Amino acid sequence: MAAFLMEHALVMVLTILIINVVYVTLFTVRMIFTLKGQRYLAAGVSVIEILVYVIGLSLVLDNLDQPQNLIAYALGYGIGVIIGMKVEEKLALGYITVNVITKEYEPDIPNALRDKGYGVTNWVAYGREGERLMMEILTSRRSEQNLYQTVKELDPKAFIISHEPKAFFGGFWVKGIRR
């Protein structure tokens, strides 16, 4: 196999490119699992990741006299980052907290969001231009874009900011969360 690759430069370049795309994508997925506390999935992915890494790196190191191999390795890394980010978006593991600040009190935005299944805590806040309705909303990352769209439909001028909570305990909505 190695002799065939060395005789066919284009096949070698494509192989290195694909191997590195796969490696970096697996690296990204493993990091996501690690950050989300999915230790056994992270460990399983890391076994495959390191096998792919060693194969790809050895192909490049064994053929350092061919600059196209190094370029393919670097391009594969960059493409792998992009694909890894896309995979992360599709996995959408975990939950987010979204803070929404709006001038609108009618229609009743918090109850409209609760009716759609979001956990909402709201209160009156004060900004530069007076009273505002402040909401803190907990939702799964899979529902993130739907939440943004719903809020924008209810108030196109709402200020929205989100962050990912590290941990949360108690509360009404938490009872229904499957971990």
Side-chain angles (χ1 to χ4, degrees), residues 36 94-98 138-139 141 162-168:
K36 299 295 181 182
Y95 298 88
I96 61 162
T97 300
V98 179
L138 179 64
T139 189
R141 286 208 40 236
S162 67
H163 59 276
E164 201 167 325
K166 176 81 174 153
F168 46 88

Side-chain angles (χ1 to χ4, degrees), residues 13-29 70-88:
V13 167
L14 289 174
T15 302
I16 291 170
L17 181 86
I18 291 167
I19 285 174
N20 222 24
V21 167
V22 170
Y23 159 66
V24 177
T25 301
L26 290 171
F27 172 84
T28 304
V29 169
L70 186 57
I71 292 168
Y73 191 82
L75 282 173
Y77 200 97
I79 294 167
V81 168
I82 292 168
I83 292 173
M85 291 174 74
K86 294 288 186 186
V87 168
E88 191 277 335

Side-chain angles (χ1 to χ4, degrees), residues 95 97 121 136 138 165-177 179:
Y95 298 88
T97 300
T121 301
E136 188 166 78
L138 179 64
K166 176 81 174 153
F168 46 88
F169 306 95
F172 176 76
W173 197 75
V174 174
K175 294 176 187 174
I177 295 176
R179 296 207 185 235

Side-chain angles (χ1 to χ4, degrees), residues 108-125:
D108 189 3
I109 295 174
N111 284 332
L113 293 170
R114 287 182 189 113
D115 290 344
K116 291 186 178 261
Y118 298 107
V120 181
T121 301
N122 64 286
W123 61 93
V124 175

